[in-house]
Amino acid sequence: MATAEKRKPVFVKVEELKPGTAGHNLTVKVVNSKAVPVPKPRRAPMSLSQRPVRPARIAECLVGDDTGSIVFTARNEQVDLMTPGTTVILRNAKIDMFKGSMRLAVDKWGRIEVAEPANFVVQENNNLSLVEYELVTVQG
């Protein structure tokens, strides 16, 4: 059996992102980050073995590159990495749809790495999260 050669990751630009796609690698700059209030989980009867569940932390961050910007949904420890002005590499990111618009996210199969500061200016005029998509069902 031949050993599989590691493929070099293919990096895409923000403007190339499309609804329903995944597996994206991008280098983006964080423009801003807003914490999203998360409803408190209802109290369930607690057994001795259960630890209290820490409430999830979510932040909506505007990220982008020189081709466009998009809202990135950061969860829990990702929130700490997504500070404005930071350049990050998103590995295996996916597009989630939220109220008809695209959001970028990295789940447990992906990774966020803080990178060297990039020397591009984020193109905020082309915010892909402001484009509304209509769900169209195709009749077979």
Side-chain angles (χ1 to χ4, degrees):
M1 206 164 117
T3 56
E5 280 188 50
K6 262 192 120 169
R7 285 185 312 179
K8 230 175 139 37
V10 176
F11 280 79
V12 296
K13 293 290 194 180
V14 169
E15 70 176 359
E16 297 170 47
L17 298 172
K18 302 273 182 282
T21 56
H24 302 297
N25 296 306
L26 307 105
T27 301
V28 293
K29 243 187 230 178
V30 181
V31 178
N32 61 40
S33 174
K34 287 194 287 280
V36 177
V38 178
K40 295 250 187 294
R42 286 202 201 92
R43 286 255 173 242
M46 218 162 78
S47 71
L48 292 172
S49 64
Q50 284 180 319
R51 295 198 314 257
V53 179
R54 286 221 320 256
R57 290 188 304 146
I58 295 179
E60 287 194 337
C61 314
L62 185 66
V63 301
D65 60 18
D66 52 353
T67 67
S69 57
I70 189 166
V71 174
F72 176 84
T73 306
R75 291 182 167 80
N76 301 321
E77 60 279 350
Q78 294 176 351
V79 174
D80 303 325
L81 300 173
M82 303 302 285
T83 53
T86 305
T87 299
V88 292
I89 296 174
L90 305 177
R91 296 197 185 271
N92 203 16
K94 62 180 179 141
I95 297 292
D96 285 332
M97 296 306 286
F98 176 73
K99 294 183 180 167
S101 67
M102 293 197 300
R103 296 279 192 273
L104 195 57
V106 171
D107 60 16
K108 64 181 179 183
W109 307 111
R111 185 163 103 222
I112 300 176
E113 300 164 18
V114 174
E116 291 293 310
N119 59 359
F120 55 73
V121 174
V122 174
Q123 179 63 272
E124 290 183 59
N125 306 349
N126 185 18
N127 184 339
L128 300 189
S129 291
L130 296 179
V131 178
E132 278 202 33
Y133 288 87
E134 225 172 288
L135 187 63
V136 179
T137 49
V138 179
Q139 299 291 309

